[in-house]
Amino acid sequence: MAHDVAALAVELTDMAAADHRSSIRANSDDPAEQLAWRRLTARHGDRLGEIMDEYGWPTADLVGEEAARAAWLIAQHADRQLDIQRRALRLMEQAVSAGSAGPRELAFLRDRTLVNEGRKQVYGTQIAGVKDGTPLPWPCEDPERMDELRAEVGIEPFDEYVAKFAMA
């Protein structure tokens, strides 16, 4: 079992590294590059589904911090696999309740899943686009409380968050 878990940790971090290298293709003007990105994230989403079947949510206690974060990233990018995102969200909620996963990552996954379902997000982590050089969030359930809710899960205020993305 220990060997399997070590191999799983390596596999998850390798998938996240491939995701990171390919993410530039997600918004490419080239349809072939966009398709390559979608295929990669779909393969990773399928594999994450198998991992969740076997292990539940891959927590840091099980696979280490880096691999646990990799699993979260894979779930985050499984945009065309809502079943995988929803399962990851449920399992991650249980892990956060048990103290074995972080509420910050859970907040990002919750928002991403809500947006993919066509619903309003909670924390304003998902950016819809840019208007006059300012990133704008997808619609939020309670925009007046967004920064308060973000603070509760350890996410910086929205203005600080989007400043990272602002064009120089």
Side-chain angles (χ1 to χ4, degrees), residues 44-62:
H44 289 174
D46 289 345
R47 180 64 184 125
L48 182 62
E50 294 168 3
I51 291 166
M52 291 186 296
D53 287 344
E54 189 170 348
Y55 298 94
W57 185 250
T59 62
D61 292 342
L62 181 68

Side-chain angles (χ1 to χ4, degrees), residues 26-90:
N27 300 311
S28 172
D29 293 333
D30 181 347
E33 288 197 354
Q34 285 184 24
L35 184 59
W37 166 254
R38 287 200 296 270
R39 284 182 175 149
L40 177 83
T41 56
R43 269 196 322 274
H44 289 174
D46 289 345
R47 180 64 184 125
L48 182 62
E50 294 168 3
I51 291 166
M52 291 186 296
D53 287 344
E54 189 170 348
Y55 298 94
W57 185 250
T59 62
D61 292 342
L62 181 68
V63 294
E65 288 290 337
E66 187 182 4
R69 184 158 176 81
W72 165 79
L73 180 74
I74 293 160
Q76 189 79 353
H77 288 168
D79 292 319
R80 288 170 184 79
Q81 295 164 291
L82 262 173
D83 57 326
I84 297 291
Q85 273 189 339
R86 287 178 180 132
R87 263 181 70 209
L89 185 64
R90 279 193 309 275

Side-chain angles (χ1 to χ4, degrees), residues 6-21 44 63-71 73-74:
L8 176 62
V10 170
E11 181 183 5
L12 285 166
T13 54
D14 285 352
M15 286 193 298
D19 181 290
H20 186 70
R21 284 193 304 273
H44 289 174
V63 294
E65 288 290 337
E66 187 182 4
R69 184 158 176 81
L73 180 74
I74 293 160

